Amino acid sequence: MEIIKKSAILVGQEFSTKEEATKLAGKLLLDNASIQEEYIDSMLEKLVSNIYQTYIPGTGIAMPHGMNDSKKYINEASMSIIQSPAGVDWNGEKVHLIFGLAVAGEEHTEIIKKISNLILEDMDKVNELSKTASIDELYEFFSI
């Protein structure tokens, strides 16, 4: 199963807010027919609730995704990736890589675990990818 499509990856993006970044992450999923539009609203709801952490502290990475009851709006398990060289403020931290996740149940936990392991195993590569202009590099490193 292909979780990431190259058409769901953008590099060199700039954002004023984490909400703006989250909307684009959701739009990439929507444009690839992975989700229904309501899922983006759920991603934003989770983001503004501040009950759930949608970033990994100290890594420059965020993983916005929908609330548990939004699974019905997921057409297929998928992930978008947005890279922002300048970064966007995410609860006081600069985030350079945003992973929009549309996964449910066991897959959800598995995907987050795989991404986290990739990040922790090669933080130097992740830092390099936060500045790359290559969609192919991001696709190859994060294809799981």
Side-chain angles (χ1 to χ4, degrees):
M1 170 188 359
E2 184 184 39
I3 298 286
I4 304 172
K5 298 174 183 161
K6 283 187 185 180
S7 56
I9 301 174
L10 290 176
V11 295
Q13 302 299 299
E14 290 188 21
F15 303 103
S16 301
T17 65
K18 63 184 179 179
E19 290 80 9
E20 192 182 317
T22 298
K23 282 181 193 173
L24 183 55
K27 184 176 180 330
L28 288 170
L29 295 170
L30 182 65
D31 290 350
N32 280 279
S34 299
I35 61 166
Q36 296 163 42
E37 199 160 352
E38 294 87 347
Y39 189 77
I40 298 172
D41 295 334
S42 184
M43 291 171 78
L44 290 168
E45 182 185 342
K46 181 170 259 187
L47 188 69
V48 298
S49 74
N50 278 333
I51 296 169
Y52 307 98
Q53 192 163 293
T54 54
Y55 69 100
I56 305 172
T59 64
I61 291 178
M63 292 191 234
H65 51 283
M67 304 288 274
N68 281 338
D69 63 356
S70 67
K71 294 174 192 164
K72 60 187 172 224
Y73 303 123
I74 298 173
N75 299 332
E76 65 180 359
S78 60
M79 179 168 70
S80 61
I81 303 175
I82 303 171
Q83 180 249 35
S84 176
V88 60
D89 179 68
W90 213 284
N91 298 0
E93 291 203 30
K94 277 279 189 225
V95 165
H96 298 279
L97 292 172
I98 298 110
F99 296 87
L101 301 178
V103 287
E106 302 263 329
E107 272 182 326
H108 175 84
T109 308
E110 194 60 34
I111 298 290
I112 289 178
K113 228 186 264 183
K114 284 182 179 179
I115 294 170
S116 299
N117 286 341
L118 281 173
I119 293 162
L120 296 172
E121 287 171 13
D122 199 347
M123 207 50 215
D124 289 340
K125 181 67 174 175
V126 171
N127 289 332
E128 182 185 311
L129 291 172
S130 71
K131 295 168 182 61
T132 188
S134 171
I135 287 173
D136 289 335
E137 275 188 75
L138 285 163
Y139 177 78
E140 287 166 23
F141 188 76
F142 288 108
S143 285
I144 48 178

